[in-house]
């Protein structure tokens, strides 16, 4: 086939069909050169033809003519075969590389990761949770960013009673909090059966906050007094088992200090703080205060009451009450402590109580005996509140 000067190369329908029927790169076949036009012998060889995305052959127009030695037809066929071989190699490499834009990744790769550390202070019954930073969070706002914050819960248990949260950082997918949140009143029993739930959320001013992802850590994985670092991928929201044994439900914890002062000849009772109290009000909080009695109380003068702390489930009181009593009489007494929710215009709600004395058991009995054995030494202990009203004298 010859070609006149300035005439464009054309491809017949048979040539198109010969290419389109091949699914994928065309393998170098000797006979395929019979389907394509050949360059005239008087023209220099041009750049090898390239394949379009559809697999069709692009024709190259010849714009310049120069005289030169005749081109060997066998060499022309080899050049064409090499061109097809190179094109096929490039196409196979493109197929091996994943299409990042079109890849529909799993949510676990797009929700982000969270770096944090946990420390169980066994001596002070405290769990320190340091939220360091997050990376690659999922965008939740229209600007392609988020306003993230972190909230903590201890499971099983009431959500608001043990909820802690960090500050909110604006317009970022890689927030750095470097913030430590602390749970008080954590016992060895809690470390065995409780799980820490860490959630990352996006704060919205004009609508409900949006959930981004969460991770859960069984506290039994922690060793006392040893910091453990985590870098966890966030997961979708997991369902909370609401069929937990109701016997595990708690009314909260209270930290009490006892000291018998030989100088003042009396018992000093300290109400330090409460933690994870049950919510008694419609807003999900309580207005707690604490009352103490030293029983038996024939004259009914042993009642003491702390100040009311508004809208909190983790109040700090740091108040002390003094009972004038002989040391020998302490073995006959029982200290009863109750926590109440203050309400205006109606009777106050009982949250929980605890009794310390010779008739108690477990940690409550041990706390009382430690006080008797160690005069002039303040001894602090956390105690779990029960939902049983200790005596009829507690009607408030």
């Amino acid at each position: 086939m010859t070609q006149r000067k300035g005439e464009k190369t054309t491809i017949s329908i048979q040539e198109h069909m010969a290419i389109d029927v091949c699914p994928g790169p065309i393998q170098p076949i000797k006979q395929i050169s019979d389907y394509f036009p050949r360059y005239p012998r008087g023209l220099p060889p041009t750049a090898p033809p390239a394949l379009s995305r559809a697999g069709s052959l692009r024709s190259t127009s010849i714009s310049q003519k120069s005289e030169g030695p005749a081109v060997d037809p066998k060499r022309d066929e080899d050049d064409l075969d090499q061109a097809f071989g190179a094109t096929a190699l490039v196409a196979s490499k493109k197929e091996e590389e994943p299409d990042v834009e079109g890849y529909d990744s799993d949510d676990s790769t797009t929700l982000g990761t969270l770096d944090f550390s946990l420390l169980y202070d066994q001596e002070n019954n405290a769990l320190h949770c340091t939220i360091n930073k997050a990376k690659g969070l999922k965008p939740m706002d229209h600007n392609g960013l988020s306003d993230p914050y972190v909230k903590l819960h201890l499971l099983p248990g009431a959500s608001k009673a043990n909820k802690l949260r960090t500050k909110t950082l604006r317009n970022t997918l890689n927030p750095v909090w470097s913030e430590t949140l602390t749970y008080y009143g954590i016992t060895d029993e809690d470390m065995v059966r409780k799980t820490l739930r860490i959630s990352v959320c996006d704060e919205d001013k004009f609508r409900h906050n949006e959930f981004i992802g969460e991770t859960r850590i069984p506290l039994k994985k922690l060793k006392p007094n040893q910091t453990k670092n985590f870098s966890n991928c966030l997961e979708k929201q997991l369902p909370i088992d609401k069929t937990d044994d109701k016997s595990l439900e708690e009314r909260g914890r209270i930290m009490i200090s006892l000291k018998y002062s030989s100088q003042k000849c009396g018992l000093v009772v300290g109400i330090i703080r409460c933690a994870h109290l049950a919510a008694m009000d419609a807003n999900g909080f309580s207005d707690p205060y604490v009352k103490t009695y030293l029983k038996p109380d024939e004259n009914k003068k042993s009642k003491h009451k702390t100040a009311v702390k508004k809208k909190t489930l983790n109040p700090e009181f740091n108040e002390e009450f003094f009972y004038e009593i002989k040391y020998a009489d302490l073995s006959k007494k029982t200290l009863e402590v109750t926590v109440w929710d203050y309400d205006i215009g109606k009777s106050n709600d009982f949250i929980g109580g605890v009794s310390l004395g010779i008739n108690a058991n477990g940690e409550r009995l041990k706390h009382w005996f430690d006080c008797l054995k160690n005069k002039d030494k303040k001894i602090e202990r956390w105690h779990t509140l029960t939902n049983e009203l200790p005596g009829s004298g507690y009607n408030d």
Side-chain angles (χ1 to χ4, degrees), residues 111-116 130-139 144-150 166-179 199-203 212 234:
L111 297 179
T113 60
L114 181 66
D115 294 349
F116 59 97
T130 301
I131 307 300
N132 296 319
K133 62 182 179 179
K135 294 181 291 184
L137 293 181
K138 181 180 179 180
L145 300 173
S146 295
D147 301 322
Y149 67 92
V150 177
T166 67
K167 59 187 176 182
T168 301
L169 300 181
R170 303 291 177 184
N171 298 324
T172 178
L173 299 179
N174 300 285
V176 179
W177 289 282
S178 298
E179 192 172 341
S199 306
V200 182
C201 300
D202 170 60
E203 183 177 293
I212 297 178
L234 297 177

Side-chain angles (χ1 to χ4, degrees), residues 301-335:
K301 294 182 179 179
S302 68
K303 176 182 174 181
H304 289 285
K305 183 189 298 187
T306 68
V308 176
K309 301 296 181 180
K310 294 289 186 180
K311 198 178 178 181
T312 178
L313 300 176
N314 298 279
E316 292 187 40
F317 298 101
N318 294 315
E319 296 187 33
E320 289 187 343
F321 305 122
F322 179 75
Y323 292 101
E324 186 176 351
I325 185 174
K326 295 179 181 180
Y327 176 76
D329 294 337
L330 275 180
S331 59
K332 304 174 185 178
K333 296 288 186 178
T334 298
L335 178 68

Side-chain angles (χ1 to χ4, degrees), residues 171-316:
N171 298 324
T172 178
L173 299 179
N174 300 285
V176 179
W177 289 282
S178 298
E179 192 172 341
T180 300
L181 306 174
T182 301
Y183 281 106
Y184 295 98
I186 301 298
T187 63
D188 292 339
E189 181 185 357
D190 294 328
M191 298 300 294
V192 173
R193 67 181 183 87
K194 284 189 177 288
T195 297
L196 178 66
R197 179 191 182 197
I198 306 177
S199 306
V200 182
C201 300
D202 170 60
E203 183 177 293
D204 287 319
K205 292 183 179 180
F206 305 106
R207 55 180 180 174
H208 293 295
N209 297 341
E210 296 179 289
F211 176 85
I212 297 178
E214 71 170 39
T215 183
R216 297 187 184 186
I217 305 296
L219 296 185
K220 60 185 178 182
K221 291 185 175 181
L222 304 180
K223 295 182 179 180
N225 306 316
Q226 293 185 16
T227 302
K228 187 168 184 179
N229 298 312
F230 297 86
S231 182
N232 290 9
C233 291
L234 297 177
E235 301 176 284
K236 292 181 180 180
Q237 190 167 13
L238 302 174
I240 298 177
D241 188 6
K242 296 183 179 180
T243 62
D244 291 330
D245 186 1
K246 291 189 177 181
S247 63
L248 298 179
E249 292 182 0
E250 299 173 355
R251 310 295 290 180
R253 309 283 176 85
I254 185 168
M255 190 177 193
I256 302 172
S257 68
L258 299 177
K259 183 181 77 170
Y260 184 81
S261 175
S262 56
Q263 182 179 1
K264 297 181 180 181
C265 294
L267 177 66
V268 180
V269 179
I271 304 300
I272 301 174
R273 68 191 306 158
C274 293
H276 324 323
L277 294 180
M280 307 302 291
D281 297 336
N283 59 6
F285 293 96
S286 294
D287 301 321
Y289 68 94
V290 180
K291 295 194 301 179
T292 65
Y293 294 86
L294 192 61
K295 297 290 190 76
D297 183 17
E298 298 176 357
N299 298 325
K300 297 184 179 180
K301 294 182 179 179
S302 68
K303 176 182 174 181
H304 289 285
K305 183 189 298 187
T306 68
V308 176
K309 301 296 181 180
K310 294 289 186 180
K311 198 178 178 181
T312 178
L313 300 176
N314 298 279
E316 292 187 40

